[in-house]
Amino acid sequence: MMNPESIAAAGAAVVTLPHDLTPFGMFMAADLVVKAVMIGLIAASLITWVILVGKVLELSALGRSARRGVAVVAAEAGIAGLVRRPQLPRPLAAMLAEIGEEVAQTGAEGTGSTAAGGLVERVRSRLSRLEAAAGRRAMTGTGLLATIGSTAPFVGLFGTVWGIMNAFVGISQSQTTNLAVVAPGIAEALLATATGLVAAIPAVVVYNHLARRTTAFRAEMTDLSEGLIRTLSRDLETGRLDVGSLN
């Protein structure tokens, strides 16, 4: 049986325990290391949402430019007509510049119907490189999302382990297993794991969404380059290609 002095000491310990078990209250009562872990995870979560907004706007603009380029190519009969059009979409203008450079390097003698196959293949190679470069630029920044999604749970787990270690130290110092003594420290530690999941789950979802949007953009760029290759092939076979207009 506990003597009156022990009962009074235990009661005083319970009174001095933090009772604010809201997320903010637990954060403020947490150990410095656990606080640093949670602040880092909150910053990572904010970075995820910033990347989402920025990349969605960027991919929307890129997709519109590629679709507009496809429409322009479908509406024009030949490469020369495309070159004369004002205010071409950026991806279409870049692809036409590649075609013009290849035609200039080939020369007039390499644009006849007998040499058309080689020219078309070289142009296809140039445009495929352009597509790949555009795809890489579209995915810029998303690698950070993959890093956050894969590491945030483990960082949160580190904070939890550290917090539970401190909770057990507190239990040993107070020499009591009273739930009121144990619960706050463990709850603060588990908050780090919850923060890690809050950072990781959106990062994975956003990464997958942006990967799908990038795949769709690459498909649109492929449609644009294939449309240009078909137009170039027709011009070469019919003799309508005006080499001078591409320079």
Side-chain angles (χ1 to χ4, degrees):
M1 180 179 293
M2 296 179 64
N3 56 43
E5 291 79 5
S6 299
I7 295 174
V14 172
V15 170
T16 57
L17 286 173
H19 291 284
D20 185 5
L21 295 182
T22 63
F24 181 75
M26 288 189 290
F27 170 79
M28 295 304 297
D31 178 78
L32 184 61
V33 174
V34 180
K35 278 183 180 178
V37 166
M38 288 193 284
I39 289 172
L41 292 171
I42 291 169
S45 182
L46 292 176
I47 291 171
T48 296
W49 295 109
V50 170
I51 291 175
L52 172 64
V53 173
K55 296 304 291 186
V56 164
L57 294 175
E58 179 186 356
L59 289 172
S60 297
L62 291 173
R64 283 195 301 270
S65 295
R67 289 191 295 273
R68 184 169 163 242
V70 171
V72 170
V73 171
E76 191 61 57
I79 295 294
L82 289 171
V83 172
R84 288 193 295 267
R85 275 181 173 259
Q87 296 181 343
L88 290 171
R90 182 175 298 178
L92 176 56
M95 288 183 176
L96 286 173
E98 291 288 335
I99 293 174
E101 184 176 345
E102 182 57 42
V103 170
Q105 291 181 0
T106 301
E109 65 278 3
T111 59
S113 57
T114 56
L119 176 59
V120 168
E121 286 304 314
R122 290 191 296 274
V123 168
R124 189 188 301 275
S125 173
R126 281 177 173 266
L127 298 189
S128 65
R129 288 175 52 210
L130 207 60
E131 292 172 40
R136 286 193 298 270
R137 285 194 299 271
M139 285 295 289
T140 301
T142 59
L144 184 58
L145 296 176
T147 302
I148 293 173
S150 60
T151 60
F154 299 102
V155 175
L157 183 60
F158 166 75
T160 296
V161 171
W162 187 274
I164 289 177
M165 288 169 55
N166 287 335
F168 282 135
V169 170
I171 291 171
S172 66
Q173 290 175 347
S174 64
Q175 296 183 348
T176 178
T177 57
N178 191 314
L179 186 61
V181 176
V182 176
I186 294 178
E188 293 160 11
L190 292 175
L191 183 62
T193 296
T195 307
L197 294 176
V198 167
I201 293 172
V204 173
V205 173
V206 170
Y207 177 82
N208 290 335
H209 173 70
L210 294 179
R212 290 192 297 270
R213 293 286 298 267
T214 303
T215 300
F217 166 65
R218 285 176 172 172
E220 290 162 351
M221 289 290 288
T222 300
D223 291 341
L224 177 58
S225 66
E226 290 297 325
L228 283 172
I229 289 170
R230 287 192 297 270
T231 302
L232 175 65
S233 179
R234 282 194 299 267
D235 284 355
L236 290 171
E237 290 180 1
T238 58
R240 292 182 305 182
L241 183 64
D242 184 3
V243 176
S245 66
L246 301 180
N247 300 326

